[in-house]
mmCIF file of all heavy atoms in Angstrom:
data_model
loop_
_atom_site.group_PDB
_atom_site.id
_atom_site.type_symbol
_atom_site.label_atom_id
_atom_site.label_comp_id
_atom_site.label_asym_id
_atom_site.label_seq_id
_atom_site.Cartn_x
_atom_site.Cartn_y
_atom_site.Cartn_z
ATOM 1 N N TYR A 1 86.724 292.881 -59.407
ATOM 2 C CA TYR A 1 86.362 294.214 -59.918
ATOM 3 C C TYR A 1 86.515 295.295 -58.872
ATOM 4 O O TYR A 1 86.880 296.457 -59.191
ATOM 5 C CB TYR A 1 84.970 294.209 -60.507
ATOM 6 C CG TYR A 1 84.864 293.298 -61.739
ATOM 7 C CD1 TYR A 1 83.890 292.302 -61.813
ATOM 8 C CD2 TYR A 1 85.702 293.464 -62.800
ATOM 9 C CE1 TYR A 1 83.769 291.466 -62.906
ATOM 10 C CE2 TYR A 1 85.638 292.599 -63.908
ATOM 11 C CZ TYR A 1 84.674 291.636 -63.946
ATOM 12 O OH TYR A 1 84.592 290.811 -65.039
ATOM 13 N N VAL A 2 86.240 294.960 -57.620
ATOM 14 C CA VAL A 2 86.496 295.927 -56.526
ATOM 15 C C VAL A 2 87.952 296.293 -56.487
ATOM 16 O O VAL A 2 88.293 297.509 -56.388
ATOM 17 C CB VAL A 2 86.044 295.303 -55.166
ATOM 18 C CG1 VAL A 2 86.624 296.057 -53.992
ATOM 19 C CG2 VAL A 2 84.548 295.182 -55.058
ATOM 20 N N GLN A 3 88.807 295.322 -56.629
ATOM 21 C CA GLN A 3 90.267 295.607 -56.625
ATOM 22 C C GLN A 3 90.703 296.368 -57.837
ATOM 23 O O GLN A 3 91.534 297.276 -57.754
ATOM 24 C CB GLN A 3 91.040 294.295 -56.483
ATOM 25 C CG GLN A 3 90.814 293.687 -55.102
ATOM 26 C CD GLN A 3 91.380 292.279 -54.964
ATOM 27 O OE1 GLN A 3 91.330 291.486 -55.938
ATOM 28 N NE2 GLN A 3 91.883 291.974 -53.775
ATOM 29 N N ILE A 4 90.145 296.078 -59.054
ATOM 30 C CA ILE A 4 90.420 296.854 -60.243
ATOM 31 C C ILE A 4 90.009 298.325 -60.029
ATOM 32 O O ILE A 4 90.700 299.239 -60.499
ATOM 33 C CB ILE A 4 89.681 296.247 -61.444
ATOM 34 C CG1 ILE A 4 90.377 294.902 -61.840
ATOM 35 C CG2 ILE A 4 89.705 297.221 -62.633
ATOM 36 C CD1 ILE A 4 89.564 294.113 -62.839
ATOM 37 N N ALA A 5 88.898 298.546 -59.307
ATOM 38 C CA ALA A 5 88.443 299.878 -59.053
ATOM 39 C C ALA A 5 89.350 300.623 -58.028
ATOM 40 O O ALA A 5 89.189 301.820 -57.843
ATOM 41 C CB ALA A 5 86.984 299.883 -58.526
ATOM 42 N N GLY A 6 90.271 299.892 -57.388
ATOM 43 C CA GLY A 6 91.210 300.545 -56.500
ATOM 44 C C GLY A 6 90.890 300.382 -55.016
ATOM 45 O O GLY A 6 91.422 301.094 -54.196
ATOM 46 N N TYR A 7 90.002 299.470 -54.669
ATOM 47 C CA TYR A 7 89.611 299.290 -53.283
ATOM 48 C C TYR A 7 90.043 297.900 -52.766
ATOM 49 O O TYR A 7 90.190 296.976 -53.559
ATOM 50 C CB TYR A 7 88.106 299.440 -53.145
ATOM 51 C CG TYR A 7 87.659 300.813 -53.411
ATOM 52 C CD1 TYR A 7 87.386 301.248 -54.693
ATOM 53 C CD2 TYR A 7 87.473 301.720 -52.352
ATOM 54 C CE1 TYR A 7 86.996 302.576 -54.954
ATOM 55 C CE2 TYR A 7 87.123 303.012 -52.624
ATOM 56 C CZ TYR A 7 86.857 303.452 -53.886
ATOM 57 O OH TYR A 7 86.494 304.738 -54.143
ATOM 58 N N GLN A 8 90.136 297.759 -51.474
ATOM 59 C CA GLN A 8 90.353 296.474 -50.828
ATOM 60 C C GLN A 8 89.041 295.692 -50.787
ATOM 61 O O GLN A 8 87.975 296.335 -50.643
ATOM 62 C CB GLN A 8 90.893 296.679 -49.421
ATOM 63 C CG GLN A 8 92.246 297.316 -49.405
ATOM 64 C CD GLN A 8 92.718 297.642 -48.002
ATOM 65 O OE1 GLN A 8 92.093 297.239 -47.014
ATOM 66 N NE2 GLN A 8 93.836 298.292 -47.881
ATOM 67 N N TYR A 9 89.134 294.423 -50.944
ATOM 68 C CA TYR A 9 87.940 293.529 -51.044
ATOM 69 C C TYR A 9 87.785 292.732 -49.771
ATOM 70 O O TYR A 9 88.758 292.123 -49.290
ATOM 71 C CB TYR A 9 88.100 292.663 -52.262
ATOM 72 C CG TYR A 9 87.354 291.373 -52.282
ATOM 73 C CD1 TYR A 9 85.982 291.299 -52.279
ATOM 74 C CD2 TYR A 9 88.053 290.175 -52.398
ATOM 75 C CE1 TYR A 9 85.271 290.101 -52.358
ATOM 76 C CE2 TYR A 9 87.375 288.916 -52.481
ATOM 77 C CZ TYR A 9 86.019 288.926 -52.449
ATOM 78 O OH TYR A 9 85.338 287.756 -52.502
ATOM 79 N N ARG A 10 86.589 292.722 -49.202
ATOM 80 C CA ARG A 10 86.262 291.798 -48.142
ATOM 81 C C ARG A 10 84.975 291.080 -48.524
ATOM 82 O O ARG A 10 84.134 291.612 -49.269
ATOM 83 C CB ARG A 10 85.928 292.581 -46.841
ATOM 84 C CG ARG A 10 87.183 293.151 -46.171
ATOM 85 C CD ARG A 10 86.908 293.616 -44.794
ATOM 86 N NE ARG A 10 85.978 294.743 -44.739
ATOM 87 C CZ ARG A 10 85.153 294.968 -43.696
ATOM 88 N NH1 ARG A 10 85.095 294.150 -42.671
ATOM 89 N NH2 ARG A 10 84.338 295.995 -43.708
ATOM 90 N N ALA A 11 84.842 289.858 -48.082
ATOM 91 C CA ALA A 11 83.706 289.059 -48.500
ATOM 92 C C ALA A 11 82.843 288.618 -47.321
ATOM 93 O O ALA A 11 83.351 288.385 -46.206
ATOM 94 C CB ALA A 11 84.218 287.769 -49.217
ATOM 95 N N ALA A 12 81.543 288.478 -47.583
ATOM 96 C CA ALA A 12 80.596 287.910 -46.634
ATOM 97 C C ALA A 12 79.675 287.055 -47.455
ATOM 98 O O ALA A 12 79.298 287.408 -48.560
ATOM 99 C CB ALA A 12 79.835 288.948 -45.877
ATOM 100 N N LEU A 13 79.317 285.870 -46.951
ATOM 101 C CA LEU A 13 78.499 284.914 -47.686
ATOM 102 C C LEU A 13 77.026 284.888 -47.246
ATOM 103 O O LEU A 13 76.223 284.202 -47.897
ATOM 104 C CB LEU A 13 79.115 283.519 -47.648
ATOM 105 C CG LEU A 13 80.513 283.418 -48.220
ATOM 106 C CD1 LEU A 13 81.093 281.989 -47.971
ATOM 107 C CD2 LEU A 13 80.529 283.743 -49.701
ATOM 108 N N ASP A 14 76.667 285.636 -46.216
ATOM 109 C CA ASP A 14 75.308 285.639 -45.771
ATOM 110 C C ASP A 14 75.044 286.969 -45.001
ATOM 111 O O ASP A 14 75.999 287.697 -44.751
ATOM 112 C CB ASP A 14 74.949 284.395 -44.939
ATOM 113 C CG ASP A 14 75.829 284.246 -43.720
ATOM 114 O OD1 ASP A 14 76.103 285.268 -43.006
ATOM 115 O OD2 ASP A 14 76.252 283.095 -43.459
ATOM 116 N N GLY A 15 73.810 287.169 -44.631
ATOM 117 C CA GLY A 15 73.457 288.429 -44.014
ATOM 118 C C GLY A 15 74.051 288.544 -42.620
ATOM 119 O O GLY A 15 74.547 289.625 -42.239
ATOM 120 N N ALA A 16 74.063 287.465 -41.817
ATOM 121 C CA ALA A 16 74.621 287.565 -40.476
ATOM 122 C C ALA A 16 76.092 287.906 -40.477
ATOM 123 O O ALA A 16 76.573 288.727 -39.690
ATOM 124 C CB ALA A 16 74.352 286.262 -39.708
ATOM 125 N N SER A 17 76.873 287.274 -41.344
ATOM 126 C CA SER A 17 78.299 287.555 -41.424
ATOM 127 C C SER A 17 78.549 288.924 -42.014
ATOM 128 O O SER A 17 79.529 289.616 -41.631
ATOM 129 C CB SER A 17 79.049 286.447 -42.149
ATOM 130 O OG SER A 17 78.601 286.364 -43.498
ATOM 131 N N ALA A 18 77.642 289.424 -42.865
ATOM 132 C CA ALA A 18 77.782 290.752 -43.401
ATOM 133 C C ALA A 18 77.631 291.775 -42.290
ATOM 134 O O ALA A 18 78.417 292.695 -42.140
ATOM 135 C CB ALA A 18 76.761 290.979 -44.456
ATOM 136 N N LEU A 19 76.591 291.615 -41.463
ATOM 137 C CA LEU A 19 76.353 292.540 -40.354
ATOM 138 C C LEU A 19 77.496 292.517 -39.378
ATOM 139 O O LEU A 19 77.945 293.582 -38.885
ATOM 140 C CB LEU A 19 75.003 292.219 -39.698
ATOM 141 C CG LEU A 19 73.775 292.480 -40.531
ATOM 142 C CD1 LEU A 19 72.527 291.906 -39.888
ATOM 143 C CD2 LEU A 19 73.572 293.973 -40.842
ATOM 144 N N ALA A 20 78.010 291.356 -39.068
ATOM 145 C CA ALA A 20 79.169 291.217 -38.188
ATOM 146 C C ALA A 20 80.421 291.916 -38.777
ATOM 147 O O ALA A 20 81.133 292.585 -38.058
ATOM 148 C CB ALA A 20 79.464 289.746 -37.870
ATOM 149 N N ALA A 21 80.632 291.700 -40.066
ATOM 150 C CA ALA A 21 81.796 292.309 -40.715
ATOM 151 C C ALA A 21 81.704 293.819 -40.695
ATOM 152 O O ALA A 21 82.727 294.529 -40.497
ATOM 153 C CB ALA A 21 81.905 291.779 -42.145
ATOM 154 N N VAL A 22 80.498 294.352 -40.895
ATOM 155 C CA VAL A 22 80.334 295.828 -40.946
ATOM 156 C C VAL A 22 80.568 296.359 -39.520
ATOM 157 O O VAL A 22 81.171 297.416 -39.343
ATOM 158 C CB VAL A 22 78.941 296.232 -41.467
ATOM 159 C CG1 VAL A 22 78.644 297.671 -41.286
ATOM 160 C CG2 VAL A 22 78.806 295.835 -42.930
ATOM 161 N N ARG A 23 80.068 295.668 -38.505
ATOM 162 C CA ARG A 23 80.283 296.114 -37.116
ATOM 163 C C ARG A 23 81.770 296.110 -36.742
ATOM 164 O O ARG A 23 82.237 296.928 -35.997
ATOM 165 C CB ARG A 23 79.441 295.256 -36.169
ATOM 166 C CG ARG A 23 77.946 295.536 -36.268
ATOM 167 C CD ARG A 23 77.170 294.814 -35.209
ATOM 168 N NE ARG A 23 75.784 294.902 -35.512
ATOM 169 C CZ ARG A 23 75.002 293.900 -35.984
ATOM 170 N NH1 ARG A 23 75.540 292.700 -36.216
ATOM 171 N NH2 ARG A 23 73.733 294.091 -36.274
ATOM 172 N N ALA A 24 82.498 295.094 -37.254
ATOM 173 C CA ALA A 24 83.921 294.975 -36.954
ATOM 174 C C ALA A 24 84.706 296.087 -37.627
ATOM 175 O O ALA A 24 85.668 296.627 -37.054
ATOM 176 C CB ALA A 24 84.435 293.631 -37.379
#
């Protein structure tokens, strides 16, 4: 649905990887 909305999609499966992905 993110892609249908016109955005690129990135995934994180837990809080630690989410914080790392946002920092990157």
Side-chain angles (χ1 to χ4, degrees):
Y1 294 126
V2 164
Q3 292 171 323
I4 289 168
Y7 293 86
Q8 296 173 7
Y9 156 63
R10 289 193 294 149
L13 299 175
D14 58 43
S17 61
L19 293 170
V22 171
R23 288 185 192 105

